[in-house]
């Protein structure tokens, strides 16, 4: 009999601790301080220190932007600076406490954090504690939280570094729920405390909540949301137990759930919810679909990344199934942007696509990710889509479509031809081929299947960009920063098309990639109807200019 792997194996320890921690840390917010800032006295020719002559209010603003160790050093300049440091809301980030490249034991980090919390009377504008194994120092952790509660911390990131042995998660101290001044809270690698023992604890000012790899039970997250009347952003990642999530909030604007074992998520009542993003949610132990139910969400404009065959969509108590006749009560007219992941080699997955698209009649942007299919079940050609008939959102509203991980399969080509032959106001299309490492075809082979498409029946003239990628199959993991960036109207788009007027015609500038997108595509070509000579790249595009005549959108049904 083979022996189980030793816990002393460094590779096993990495898989248990460092790799999950890296995934969590990639989604944590950046602290509002600069590690490259340097405070130097600006001396005039007469030797006068100009910085020290500034008013205290401005000096406090300067010191508040320094890492905690540098802010503390300003107290050595003069007696006046000691008063400035002690009265400045500082940012304490444990990763800033040691020289670059240095490592420290959990005990070292704990001792340094304790010293700073004891030396500074507060308030603390921001505290990020992510380097220590806090389960080894429970008394220190409880003391820290009491001090932070008394000193009015506003932003707290509290991530426990898991032990190499992979023991049971450490219970999160209930003291955390007494910090009523928090506006942003991220917790990671804990066990959520018994909700019944939290009493009347609440977060009256909390606007952003992140829950990462926290062992929770059904109702735990619902309780925190209900007791956070100002909460706008809810991010959930890597929770360990399958739960039923019910969202009732008058303030929530964005909900993102990544790599989460989820039984169901129900938007019961969220009148301000604008974005619902589900990325790589994991199947439950029984392998059943995750139910996603949309109730009262009149402002929901962006919905993704729904995977056919993995999620069961329910709208106003009606489960959406393949071939269902769509009625008004099954439509979400507020959604303008939709993202789907489809395994085009699986018939049941593909047959769900028309049913889903009919639920969003005001759709303006559609983003498709072609999912990996190990055992294709035959082909669904253009005849299948012709039997589907027109879909209102595709026909009258859709202006942008992107298609990632294109494998040059007949099922994918049939879907693209259906879109091109039915979309009357389509303006921009991007098709990005899958990394050639994951297919026997070369980029040129996949590109040629697109160049050869017949455009005789296409209903609109649009800019057609064809590209490739060196990234992983399925794309890079989603990051919370992308979805919560409200200045980006479509964070799901892999590229941004920017148009500028140029004489009597309109010229398409290069597609601009979102800086947070990780894929690095290969060179591509742009075509308008028939392929034209131009080069572009998905993600970090090269310059590309393709002339295109703008077609006036045709009238359609009125949408919210």
């Amino acid at each position: 009999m083979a022996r189980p792997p030793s816990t002393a194996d460094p590779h096993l320890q990495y898989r248990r601790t460092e790799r999950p921690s890296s995934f969590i840390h990639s989604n944590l917010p950046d602290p509002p301080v600069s590690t490259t800032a340097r405070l130097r006295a600006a001396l005039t020719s007469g030797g006068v220190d100009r910085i020290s002559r500034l008013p205290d209010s401005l000096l406090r603003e300067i010191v508040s932007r320094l890492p905690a160790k540098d802010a503390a050093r300003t107290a050595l300049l003069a007696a006046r600076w000691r008063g400035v440091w002690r009265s400045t809301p500082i940012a304490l980030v444990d990763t800033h406490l040691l020289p670059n490249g240095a490592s420290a034991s959990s005990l070292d980090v704990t001792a340094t954090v304790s010293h700073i919390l004891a030396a500074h009377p507060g308030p603390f504008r921001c505290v990020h504690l992510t380097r220590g194994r806090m389960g080894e120092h429970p008394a220190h952790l409880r003391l820290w939280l009491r001090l932070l509660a008394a000193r009015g911390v506003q932003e707290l990131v509290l991530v426990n570094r898991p032990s190499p042995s992979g023991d049971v998660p450490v219970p999160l101290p209930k003291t955390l729920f007494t910090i009523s001044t928090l506006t942003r809270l991220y917790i990671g690698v804990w066990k959520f405390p018994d909700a019944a023992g939290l009493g009347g604890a609440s977060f009256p000012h909390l606007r952003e909540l992140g829950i990462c790899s926290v062992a929770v039970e059904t109702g735990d997250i619902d309780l925190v949301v209900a007791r956070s009347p100002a909460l706008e952003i809810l991010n959930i990642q890597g929770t360990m137990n399958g739960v039923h999530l019910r969202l009732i909030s008058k303030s929530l604007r964005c909900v993102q759930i990544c790599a989460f074992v989820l039984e169901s998520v129900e938007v019961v009542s969220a009148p301000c919810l604008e974005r619902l993003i589900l990325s790589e949610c994991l199947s439950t132990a029984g392998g059943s679909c995750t139910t996603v139910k949309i109730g009262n969400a009149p402002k929901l404009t962006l919905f993704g990344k729904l995977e056919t065959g993995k999620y069961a969509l329910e709208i106003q108590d009606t489960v959406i199934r393949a071939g269902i006749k769509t009625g008004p009560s099954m439509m979400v007219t507020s959604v303008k942007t939709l993202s789907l992941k489809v395994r085009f080699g699986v018939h049941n997955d593909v047959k769900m696509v028309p049913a889903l698209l009919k639920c969003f009649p005001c759709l303006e942007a559609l983003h498709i990710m072609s999912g990996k299919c190990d055992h294709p079940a035959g082909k669904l050609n253009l005849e299948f889509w012709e039997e589907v008939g027109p879909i209102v959102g595709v026909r009258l509203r859709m202006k942008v479509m992107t298609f990632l991980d294109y494998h040059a399969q007949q099922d994918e080509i049939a879907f693209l031809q259906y879109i091109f032959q039915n979309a009357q106001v389509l303006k921009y299309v991007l098709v990005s081929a899958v990394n050639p490492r994951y297919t026997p075809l070369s980029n040129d082979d996949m590109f040629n299947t697109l160049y050869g498409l017949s455009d005789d029946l296409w209903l609109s003239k649009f800019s057609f960009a064809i590209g490739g990628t060196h990234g992983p199959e399925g794309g890079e993991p989603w990051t919370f920063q992308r979805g919560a960036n409200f200045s980006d109207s479509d964070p799901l788009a892999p590229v941004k098309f920017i148009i500028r007027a140029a004489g009597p015609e309109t010229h398409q500038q290069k597609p601009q990639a979102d800086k947070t997108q990780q894929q690095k595509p290969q060179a591509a070509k742009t075509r308008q109807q028939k392929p034209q000579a131009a080069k572009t790249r998905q993600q970090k595009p090269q310059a590309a200019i393709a002339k295109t005549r703008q077609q006036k959108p045709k009238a359609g049904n009125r949408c919210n």
Side-chain angles (χ1 to χ4, degrees):
M1 180 181 298
R3 296 178 60 186
S6 169
T7 57
D9 182 354
H11 299 289
L12 178 62
Q13 292 183 10
Y14 172 80
R15 291 195 299 271
R16 285 179 171 175
T17 60
E18 302 304 326
R19 187 166 60 182
S21 295
S22 176
F23 188 43
I24 293 172
H25 289 188
S26 67
N27 270 307
L28 297 178
D30 295 326
V33 292
S34 173
T35 57
T36 60
R38 293 292 182 268
L39 186 62
R40 295 179 180 176
L43 301 179
T44 65
S45 57
V48 178
D49 179 0
R50 289 183 174 179
I51 289 184
S52 294
R53 297 175 65 181
L54 295 174
D56 284 356
S57 59
L58 189 52
L59 291 179
R60 281 193 290 269
E61 182 67 22
I62 294 172
V63 174
S64 71
R65 298 178 183 274
L66 297 173
K69 63 179 181 179
D70 294 329
R73 288 170 182 162
T74 63
L76 303 177
L77 298 177
R80 182 188 175 204
W81 282 92
R82 286 195 292 273
V84 170
W85 178 73
R86 290 178 60 83
S87 62
T88 298
I90 67 169
L92 171 57
V93 182
D94 58 3
T95 56
H96 296 168
L97 299 179
L98 298 169
N100 293 335
S103 60
S105 67
S106 179
L107 186 60
D108 292 335
V109 174
T110 301
T112 307
V113 170
S114 296
H115 175 74
I116 293 176
L117 289 176
H120 197 282
F124 289 87
R125 63 184 296 208
C126 156
V127 175
H128 286 214
L129 304 177
T130 63
R131 289 287 298 271
R133 292 193 171 97
M134 302 179 199
E136 299 174 0
H137 313 283
H140 287 88
L141 179 58
R142 289 192 295 270
L143 175 61
W144 295 349
L145 293 177
R146 285 197 298 270
L147 290 173
L148 293 174
R151 295 172 182 178
V153 64
Q154 297 176 359
E155 176 177 319
L156 177 61
V157 175
L158 193 65
V159 177
N160 179 38
R161 188 178 177 186
S163 64
S165 60
D167 294 334
V168 176
V170 178
L172 188 65
K174 296 179 182 179
T175 314
L176 173 67
F177 297 87
T178 66
I179 308 178
S180 60
T181 55
L182 286 171
T183 59
R184 173 187 275 175
L185 172 63
Y186 275 73
I187 54 177
V189 196
W190 299 98
K191 182 181 185 300
F192 201 85
D194 182 8
L198 298 180
S202 65
F203 297 112
H205 306 291
L206 190 65
R207 294 194 299 269
E208 182 175 345
L209 173 63
I211 300 174
C212 305
S213 293
V214 176
V216 300
E217 302 293 338
T218 295
D220 289 343
I221 298 176
D222 306 352
L223 176 68
V224 177
V225 171
R227 296 186 181 186
S228 305
L231 188 64
E232 296 184 356
I233 299 171
L234 174 62
N235 298 325
I236 303 171
Q237 177 196 62
T239 303
M240 303 172 191
N241 295 325
V243 301
H244 298 272
L245 181 63
R246 299 180 78 250
L247 297 174
I248 302 175
S249 171
K250 295 181 180 180
S251 57
L252 266 179
R253 297 179 60 196
C254 176
V255 175
Q256 302 181 87
I257 305 175
C258 304
F260 187 90
V261 182
L262 194 66
E263 295 282 352
S264 68
V265 55
E266 179 181 358
V267 181
V268 180
S269 180
C272 294
L273 185 64
E274 302 171 26
R275 300 178 176 187
L276 178 60
I277 300 173
L278 312 173
S279 178
E280 300 297 334
C281 288
L282 308 176
S283 300
T284 60
S288 59
C289 290
T290 297
T291 299
V292 180
K293 183 175 181 179
I294 300 178
N296 179 31
K299 292 186 178 181
L300 184 63
T301 57
L302 185 146
F303 186 26
K305 304 176 167 186
L306 206 62
E307 297 185 39
T308 57
K310 196 169 185 179
Y311 297 91
L313 180 62
E314 186 174 340
I315 300 176
Q316 300 293 353
D317 299 322
T318 300
V319 178
I320 308 303
R321 296 186 175 89
I324 192 171
K325 184 176 180 180
T326 308
S329 64
M330 301 155 54
M331 297 181 182
V332 184
T333 58
S334 60
V335 170
K336 303 294 191 298
T337 302
L338 178 67
S339 172
L340 299 176
K341 185 173 182 179
V342 183
R343 295 176 299 174
F344 281 90
V346 179
H347 286 182
N348 289 338
D349 285 18
V350 178
K351 289 177 180 179
M352 276 299 302
V353 175
L356 293 173
L357 292 178
K358 290 177 182 179
C359 294
F360 307 101
C362 297
L363 188 65
E364 295 181 0
L366 175 63
H367 305 296
I368 299 290
M369 170 69 75
S370 182
K372 180 180 179 181
C373 181
D374 295 325
H375 304 288
K379 307 293 182 182
L380 286 177
N381 55 26
L382 189 57
E383 292 182 3
F384 163 77
W385 290 101
E386 290 175 346
E387 294 176 0
V388 169
I391 297 175
V392 173
V394 174
R395 189 81 166 185
L396 302 177
R397 296 288 176 178
M398 193 170 74
K399 300 179 179 67
V400 174
M401 188 190 75
T402 64
F403 193 109
L404 304 185
D405 275 10
Y406 174 74
H407 295 76
Q409 296 175 353
Q410 185 60 42
D411 312 78
E412 298 171 326
I413 295 171
F415 171 77
L416 291 173
Q417 279 286 41
Y418 169 79
I419 296 294
F420 300 158
Q421 293 178 12
N422 282 271
Q424 293 182 350
V425 297
L426 189 62
K427 294 183 180 298
Y428 315 112
V429 173
L430 166 72
V431 177
S432 175
V434 70
N435 189 330
R437 292 175 53 192
Y438 305 106
T439 175
L441 301 179
S442 68
N443 270 335
D444 286 341
D445 292 335
M446 291 184 279
F447 293 164
N448 287 335
T449 63
L450 297 170
Y451 298 151
L453 292 178
S454 172
D455 59 5
D456 296 339
L457 300 178
W458 294 4
L459 291 188
S460 61
K461 295 182 179 180
F462 52 86
S463 298
F464 191 174
I466 301 171
T469 178
H470 291 298
E473 192 171 24
E476 298 287 350
W478 182 257
T479 60
F480 293 148
Q481 291 84 350
R482 290 181 60 193
N485 179 13
F486 289 103
S487 65
D488 185 354
S489 61
D490 185 1
L492 295 171
V495 298
K496 308 297 182 188
F497 293 94
I498 301 176
I499 300 301
R500 66 180 180 184
E505 294 183 330
T506 298
H507 296 263
Q508 179 191 354
Q509 284 187 323
K510 62 181 180 179
Q512 298 288 341
D514 187 336
K515 292 182 180 179
T516 59
Q517 187 76 4
Q518 283 81 13
Q519 291 186 355
K520 295 182 179 179
Q522 299 174 342
K525 297 183 179 180
T526 298
R527 58 173 277 175
Q528 174 197 353
Q529 301 285 33
K530 294 292 184 181
Q532 296 182 359
K535 293 185 178 180
T536 184
R537 296 182 65 178
Q538 178 198 355
Q539 310 297 355
K540 296 183 178 178
Q542 299 173 344
I545 298 179
K547 294 183 178 180
T548 175
R549 294 191 302 273
Q550 298 300 301
Q551 179 172 331
K552 295 182 179 180
K554 300 183 180 180
N557 294 335
R558 190 175 186 86
C559 294
N560 295 335

